[in-house]
Amino acid sequence: MAKYFPLFIDISNKTFLVVGAGNIAARRILKLKEFGCKIIVVAKSIVVTIMDLQDDRLILKERAYDSSDVVGVDYVIAATNDKELNEKIVWDCNKAGIMVNDASNYKNCDFYFPGIVTEEEMVIGVTSSGSNHKLARRVASAIRYNIKDIVEECRREQEENPKQEDFD
């Protein structure tokens, strides 16, 4: 299996289509909202937790998926509980040249949705390149537990040595 390169990009001016509105979709939507992108959700039924988040950057369409839904979007997350529908969404995206993530089959993914840890301006993504979600989730959890102390320690070091410059 290939290792995936962690590419961090500004998605604030991008549009994500999320097809599905169950638990996995809700987690993806919650995380995407933190990064300011536009999100269009298409699902036959949308859970209240997602409905409560609706604003001008989160558009909800309570209906069945249609192939035309991928038109004009930058990224797609197929997160339905119907593997055949997810595969159709992947096919539509491949035909249109749109990057897609199939939550039901890692082999159908152009990108993975990593475990994301944020603390102040720090953003850390953790992935096992699709091979071991449990491991990635556990590592992300350990980072979440320790990140605040590490950031505070780095801030103190920067205050003590203000001329020292660190670059990515």
Side-chain angles (χ1 to χ4, degrees):
M1 170 178 262
K3 289 184 181 181
Y4 277 57
F5 181 78
L7 178 65
F8 289 83
I9 59 172
D10 178 3
I11 62 170
S12 61
N13 291 317
K14 301 294 183 187
T15 301
F16 278 77
L17 170 65
V18 179
V19 183
N23 292 333
I24 292 171
R27 285 195 307 268
R28 303 291 189 266
I29 292 163
L30 282 168
K31 195 49 74 174
L32 286 169
K33 277 189 69 66
E34 291 180 32
F35 292 88
C37 60
K38 180 179 177 182
I39 307 164
I40 301 168
V41 178
V42 173
K44 289 180 183 177
S45 177
I46 299 175
V47 295
V48 174
T49 55
I50 295 174
M51 285 186 177
D52 288 346
L53 299 172
Q54 188 171 5
D55 59 21
D56 62 325
R57 308 279 306 158
L58 177 61
I59 296 138
L60 306 179
K61 297 180 179 184
E62 200 163 13
R63 59 168 174 74
Y65 168 79
D66 182 88
S67 294
S68 65
D69 288 326
V70 302
V71 174
V73 302
D74 299 294
Y75 302 95
V76 174
I77 297 174
T80 75
N81 59 359
D82 181 339
K83 289 185 180 195
E84 288 181 16
L85 176 56
N86 287 348
E87 287 180 6
K88 178 180 178 6
I89 296 164
V90 168
W91 190 87
D92 290 342
C93 290
N94 289 336
K95 184 178 172 189
I98 298 168
M99 295 191 62
V100 62
N101 173 283
D102 178 350
S104 66
N105 184 348
Y106 74 92
K107 293 178 183 176
N108 285 342
C109 295
D110 295 316
F111 67 94
Y112 292 124
F113 207 96
I116 298 174
V117 179
T118 56
E119 177 65 31
E120 298 180 25
E121 73 271 20
M122 294 298 306
V123 179
I124 302 162
V126 179
T127 182
S128 63
S129 296
S131 66
N132 190 334
H133 296 295
K134 187 175 183 180
L135 174 64
R137 191 171 32 252
R138 188 168 176 196
V139 169
S141 179
I143 293 169
R144 272 186 207 96
Y145 182 78
N146 292 297
I147 190 67
K148 189 175 228 91
D149 292 338
I150 294 167
V151 169
E152 287 177 14
E153 180 181 329
C154 289
R155 293 260 186 247
R156 281 193 302 274
E157 288 174 6
Q158 286 175 336
E159 288 172 7
E160 292 170 8
N161 299 308
K163 293 187 180 193
Q164 179 181 341
E165 294 185 34
D166 291 325
F167 296 97
D168 292 333

